[in-house]
Amino acid sequence: MSNIYLNGQWLPIEQAQISVLDRGFIFGDGVYEVIPVYSRKAFALDAHLQRLDNSLKGIRLAAPLNHDQWRTIISQLVGEADQEDSSIYLQISRGVAPRDHAFPKNTSATVFAMAKPMAPVPQDWLENGIKVVTHTDDRWLHCDLKTTALLANVLLRQYAVDQGAVECVLIRDGFVTEGAASNIIVVHDNTLLFPPRNNLILPGITYDLIIDLAQQHRLPFKEAPVPQTVLLQSSEIMMTSSTREIVPITQIDGKPVGNGQPGPLFKQLLTLYQSLK
């Protein structure tokens, strides 16, 4: 692995250290962002940096770097990476201070960035789809902020793994929100249904791009609440994320989705997304 960036220094990750009093460690008081890189070019970088700004604003933490400074750091990480395709991980915490729930005064944020190899989506997932399970969405009400406090998501994802599934589709008050680590798209009556972008889901960059592609290519779609009953009667389901892009879901709670094979709208969207990349 190439050097990482930590608070203005470049050093091997083995030498990187933060204080045990860092609020990111003590409270999960921080935000993060993940940016895919293809052929050493950061994908949808402006959108990712804007989402990072929104997350910082949401937790009332002043941005420690501007977009040009982030681009310089990301450019060096991409240039030093051993592989052409990677993912850039950025994390900012509120910094080091005596343990107290209230915000500390005059504390510098902890800024961390690294590149890691991005494994390709397994071909079997694209050809045959994946298995998912549903679970009550018992997270907090600010899921639109990409914070490092991910224990609820970790438990939900592990619930899926324990069931032999890849992902957990979350249900709140009878409606689909998102996955434990992804956004969810449902096809019903030949129409793409996108759960609305509000405080209950993370505004996924890939999710936004898929909505744009559907609109540009005049595919039938709606951004509207998706009842659990519609989810379970759907002809296609897909998940999206920055590193997994778009993946078909062909089994949910042990039952096939549609005919149990990736559907035509998934195949069309996958082709459009690869062309966009």
Side-chain angles (χ1 to χ4, degrees):
M1 179 179 288
S2 59
N3 288 342
I4 60 93
Y5 176 92
L6 179 63
N7 295 333
Q9 293 185 304
W10 292 92
L11 67 167
I13 194 167
E14 296 82 6
Q15 297 178 18
Q17 297 181 5
I18 61 169
S19 169
V20 294
L21 291 178
D22 191 281
R23 289 177 64 92
F25 175 70
I26 294 289
F27 294 118
D29 184 2
V31 302
Y32 74 102
E33 189 60 48
V34 179
I35 305 163
V37 174
Y38 302 109
S39 300
R40 298 193 185 275
K41 183 175 177 62
F43 184 63
L45 179 56
D46 289 344
H48 281 282
L49 292 179
Q50 184 58 58
R51 185 170 66 176
L52 179 63
D53 285 347
N54 294 342
S55 295
L56 287 165
K57 182 179 180 181
I59 68 165
R60 297 170 57 187
L61 177 55
L65 300 174
N66 61 38
H67 285 197
D68 286 341
Q69 290 171 314
W70 280 123
R71 288 189 185 94
T72 298
I73 293 169
I74 291 167
S75 177
Q76 182 162 340
L77 288 170
V78 171
E80 292 183 356
D82 295 330
Q83 59 287 325
E84 293 291 306
D85 295 350
S86 58
S87 63
I88 302 297
Y89 180 85
L90 311 177
Q91 179 172 309
I92 306 164
S93 82
R94 208 176 301 273
V96 179
R99 188 183 186 280
D100 184 7
H101 285 66
F103 294 169
K105 296 180 179 179
N106 304 318
T107 297
S108 298
T110 298
V111 181
F112 167 59
M114 68 175 178
K116 58 181 292 188
M118 185 163 60
V121 176
Q123 192 63 29
D124 179 64
W125 288 12
L126 300 178
E127 294 177 355
N128 300 307
I130 61 170
K131 300 176 183 179
V132 302
V133 291
T134 59
H135 193 284
T136 300
D137 189 347
D138 51 11
R139 303 170 300 163
W140 69 330
L141 297 178
H142 290 291
C143 300
D144 54 322
L145 304 179
K146 202 169 177 67
T147 71
T148 57
L150 288 173
L151 181 57
N153 299 71
V154 167
L155 293 173
L156 289 162
R157 178 71 185 283
Q158 187 60 43
Y159 173 79
V161 172
D162 291 343
Q163 307 300 312
V166 171
E167 179 60 302
C168 191
V169 177
L170 307 181
I171 310 296
R172 192 187 293 262
D173 298 328
F175 292 89
V176 178
T177 52
E178 58 184 349
S182 64
N183 291 109
I184 300 297
I185 303 168
V186 175
V187 178
H188 186 68
D189 289 339
N190 297 314
T191 299
L192 291 159
L193 303 178
F194 296 87
R197 291 167 285 187
N198 54 30
N199 64 298
L200 299 180
I201 76 169
L202 182 72
I205 304 303
T206 305
Y207 192 67
D208 289 350
L209 291 172
I210 295 295
I211 292 176
D212 290 344
L213 288 171
Q215 187 171 28
Q216 292 169 18
H217 294 272
R218 299 184 177 182
L219 301 178
F221 79 95
K222 294 179 182 178
E223 186 174 352
V226 179
Q228 184 177 8
T229 52
V230 170
L231 171 76
L232 299 178
Q233 296 168 0
S234 57
S235 57
E236 296 184 53
I237 309 174
M238 312 165 214
M239 74 173 191
T240 65
S241 73
S242 290
T243 55
R244 291 177 171 177
E245 301 176 352
I246 178 170
V247 175
I249 294 169
T250 51
Q251 185 183 117
I252 185 166
D253 290 338
K255 298 179 180 179
V257 176
N259 65 4
Q261 295 295 319
L265 279 172
F266 159 73
K267 294 175 182 177
Q268 188 171 359
L269 287 172
L270 179 64
T271 299
L272 292 172
Y273 190 80
Q274 297 305 318
S275 296
L276 178 66
K277 281 171 53 185

